[in-house]
């Protein structure tokens, strides 16, 4: 695990100057909000230590190495995927009404909806600019890859919102939604360095599929943490996803495959009563009894194994493959 | 004027199939909302006639012709600028709390904030995809031009939001804001066809500057209509901008250059009372007395003349130049 933290730390160090240079191209107001959102400053603009783990940039750098190029080849991709990730967080926090992220107030909660919308829009446009300004023949293909991933990411978000109004979401639909919402950008992050390195299509596909598997594994575990995670670790209230009656993967499994406990859970999800703590605890137990927790964790393991297989089949060099897998394990087990 | 309407109609006909093909790449939910927002269907998905005037696509096609290329060379640009325009409308209507556009309910008002945010995001990402998928050596430069314009557009929006909280906005700041909010995309629309046609930098710059002038002229007249426009034409309530105490260009001119009526207006803008109809009528009269209306209309004329000069200096072929200018006049005097 220490090796992964070292590698992440190195990745952050490598990416941070380029990330700063990109964000500094924003207009001053958006820039100040982006600095706050990224954990670089507090609300008054004073520098802070912190910020996200920057796992997507680390994947992008490793992805260049997977294609035999130096990590720096993946740098514009690393910056671009991190910008897209944060565009998405800014808009999601607003749409979900989440008031905290990484133990700090979210942008919309302290600066209003317009700030979150516009800063998100600006970061999305900037991601594209960063790739189009990159040199080398792979830059346009990388921009295309990222645009498609953004389309998929939004498709996943749209489904997520639509599912809130439905009581008949199937597990396949839920997996498809997670593939878009979470998988698409992790997939692009895992492939974009190789695209920038002009790697053969076979290598790019294998890396993209590895990233998609990683994305699903991450979402499965994240959904488990959203129900049973320790608030001090996740930064979210206990049982928060259930309190919001979110049709996450373990919940959908439980409702669609979980027998009597699943039916009791389904009834509770639609009863419309205000949920007290006891009811939410009972709902969490029902997801567990219906097999939703065990399925989610097993499925996450299956996805990780599938991802490893894809890297092996594509003959990604051993050291890079092991670093990618170690990073993937870290993302799945630690990032919430 | 009939020639302009014919030309717009021809432009719409030329662009519509490509626009449909692009929008049809969206996920089904975003696509349905985009169809409604674009005026192609009603809320139930039944086809409707209507939609915007598509002036930006018409500019993009003419811009290719200005560089001696066939209009079709500008087609991916025409689709992309129209997508960006509509991305911006979807987000703006939400941020501004506007419940009507083109005499129909806005997307956020009927489908909620998340729909407006996500459909806007999807259209922005799609605009970029359309350009990156375009063939020919100018496509990447066109994608870069549009990304920069999006950055400028957002910068303008950010300033617009920020100005609401300030009582000391100067006329230069207000012009700079309008240049971003309105000028940047009209400028890109006027140049993108030439960029796709790989025109010399001098032609591209002249077209971009013409579009920026057009943008300011449009905003000046739009701001006048926002105060004195006929509700049945503008689709907005009478005096709507004043009711919202919007620091539009004529208002800012009046406050900063308008003597005693300007000072009375400034006091009213900051008094915090709920504005009754009589007070709003008085405020409109004060903008007029302070010279804000006359200045805005004269400044619009000056910008139009400057735009013409730029096209002449760059030796844009006579017929194309006259079509661009006729379209510009139409945009400024009719589109609200």
């Amino acid at each position: 695990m220490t090796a992964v933290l070292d590698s992440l730390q190195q990745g952050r160090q490598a990416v941070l100057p380029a990330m700063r240079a990109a964000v500094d191209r924003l207009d001053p107001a958006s820039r100040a909000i982006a600095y706050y959102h990224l954990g670089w400053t507090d609300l008054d603009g004073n520098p802070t230590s912190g910020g996200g783990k920057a796992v997507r940039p680390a994947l992008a750098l490793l992805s260049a190495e997977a294609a035999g190029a130096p990590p720096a080849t993946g740098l514009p991709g690393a910056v671009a995927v991190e910008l897209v990730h944060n565009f998405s967080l800014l808009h999601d926090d607003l749409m979900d009404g989440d008031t905290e992220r990484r133990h700090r107030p979210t942008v919309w909660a302290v600066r209003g909806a317009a700030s979150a919308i516009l800063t998100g829009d600006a970061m999305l446009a900037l991601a594209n600019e960063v790739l189009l300004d990159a040199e080398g023949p792979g830059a346009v293909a990388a921009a295309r890859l990222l645009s498609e991933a953004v389309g998929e990411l939004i498709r996943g978000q749209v489904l997520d919102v639509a599912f809130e109004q439905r009581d008949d979401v199937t597990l396949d639909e839920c997996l498809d939604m997670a593939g878009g919402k979470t998988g698409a950008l992790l997939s692009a992050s895992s492939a974009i360095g190789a695209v920038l390195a002009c790697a053969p299509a076979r290598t790019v596909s294998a890396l993209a599929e590895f990233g998609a598997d990683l994305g699903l594994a991450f979402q499965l575990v994240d959904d488990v943490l959203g129900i049973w995670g320790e608030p001090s670790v996740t930064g979210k209230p206990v049982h928060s996803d259930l309190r919001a009656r979110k049709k996450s993967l373990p919940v959908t499994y439980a409702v669609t495959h979980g027998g009597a406990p699943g039916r009791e859970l389904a009834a509770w999800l639609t009863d419309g009563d205000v949920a007290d703590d006891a009811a939410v605890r009972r709902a969490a137990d029902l997801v567990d009894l219906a097999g939703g927790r065990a399925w989610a964790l097993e499925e996450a393991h299956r996805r990780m194994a599938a991802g490893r297989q894809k890297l092996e089949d594509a003959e990604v060099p051993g050291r890079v493959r092991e670093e990618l897998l170690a990073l993937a394990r870290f993302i799945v087990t630690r990032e919430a």
Side-chain angles (χ1 to χ4, degrees), chain A:
Chain A
M1 191 57 82
T2 315
V4 174
L5 289 177
D6 283 353
S7 143
L8 271 177
Q9 177 67 13
Q10 280 166 23
R12 266 207 306 276
Q13 299 288 348
V15 173
L16 195 60
M19 186 77 186
R20 289 251 181 182
V23 171
D24 285 348
R25 289 163 63 179
L26 296 174
D27 68 273
S30 299
R31 188 191 311 151
I33 290 173
Y35 267 58
Y36 170 73
H37 169 76
L38 290 164
W40 297 349
T41 60
D42 64 19
L43 273 172
D44 301 319
N46 304 309
T48 51
S49 65
K53 295 185 192 69
V55 294
R56 288 164 194 79
L59 286 170
L61 299 185
L62 280 169
S63 152
E65 290 191 272
T73 302
L75 199 52
V79 171
V81 296
E82 189 69 352
L83 287 169
V84 167
H85 176 55
N86 283 286
F87 136 76
S88 156
L89 295 180
L90 281 163
H91 284 191
D92 287 359
D93 285 341
L94 170 62
M95 291 186 286
D96 296 343
D98 287 337
T99 55
E100 272 205 4
R101 170 170 299 281
R102 299 177 195 138
H103 311 286
R104 305 194 319 159
T106 50
V107 166
W108 76 267
V110 284
R111 287 288 183 265
S115 282
I117 292 173
L118 289 168
T119 308
D121 292 346
M123 290 178 100
L124 175 57
L126 184 59
N128 193 44
E129 272 187 76
V130 165
L131 288 176
L132 292 175
D133 286 350
E135 309 206 337
V140 174
R144 199 174 286 130
L145 174 83
L146 190 64
S147 275
E148 279 164 25
V150 171
E152 270 294 288
L153 187 161
I154 294 165
R155 188 181 70 84
Q157 296 288 0
V158 167
L159 291 176
D160 198 17
V161 171
F163 289 176
E164 281 171 27
Q165 311 300 324
R166 284 178 48 192
D167 298 324
D168 60 349
V169 176
T170 67
L171 191 58
D172 279 348
E173 288 180 311
C174 202
L175 286 164
D176 175 50
M177 181 274 283
K181 197 178 94 160
T182 313
L185 189 58
L186 283 166
S187 172
S189 303
S190 303
I192 200 164
V195 172
L196 286 162
C198 300
R202 177 166 167 270
T203 309
V204 171
S205 296
L207 287 163
E209 287 168 22
F210 157 77
D213 283 326
L214 159 60
L216 265 185
F218 168 74
Q219 190 59 58
L220 286 156
V221 172
D222 193 55
D223 282 357
V224 168
L225 292 175
I227 300 176
W228 294 281
E230 178 56 41
S232 67
V233 176
T234 63
K236 296 176 188 171
V238 67
H239 297 147
S240 61
D241 281 1
L242 273 182
R243 225 171 277 276
R245 301 191 194 215
K246 204 168 153 58
K247 287 159 200 111
S248 63
L249 287 160
V251 168
T252 303
Y253 179 91
V255 166
T256 54
H257 294 71
R263 284 190 292 279
E264 185 181 337
L265 179 67
W268 177 77
L269 285 168
T270 53
D271 74 2
D273 293 352
V274 175
D276 60 21
D277 286 352
V280 173
R281 268 198 306 276
R282 172 68 185 160
D285 289 345
L286 288 170
V287 180
D288 209 346
L289 287 166
R293 182 184 196 159
W295 168 80
L297 296 174
E298 283 156 20
E299 183 65 22
H301 276 108
R302 280 190 291 271
R303 297 282 175 172
M304 292 293 278
R308 162 183 285 277
Q309 192 59 50
K310 279 154 196 165
L311 296 183
E312 285 175 0
D313 292 349
E315 292 166 20
V316 168
R319 178 192 63 80
V320 181
R321 183 189 68 218
E322 293 309 315
E323 282 198 43
L324 280 168
L325 289 168
L327 182 55
R329 277 191 299 274
F330 174 79
I331 291 171
V332 169
T333 56
R334 290 284 304 275
E335 183 176 307

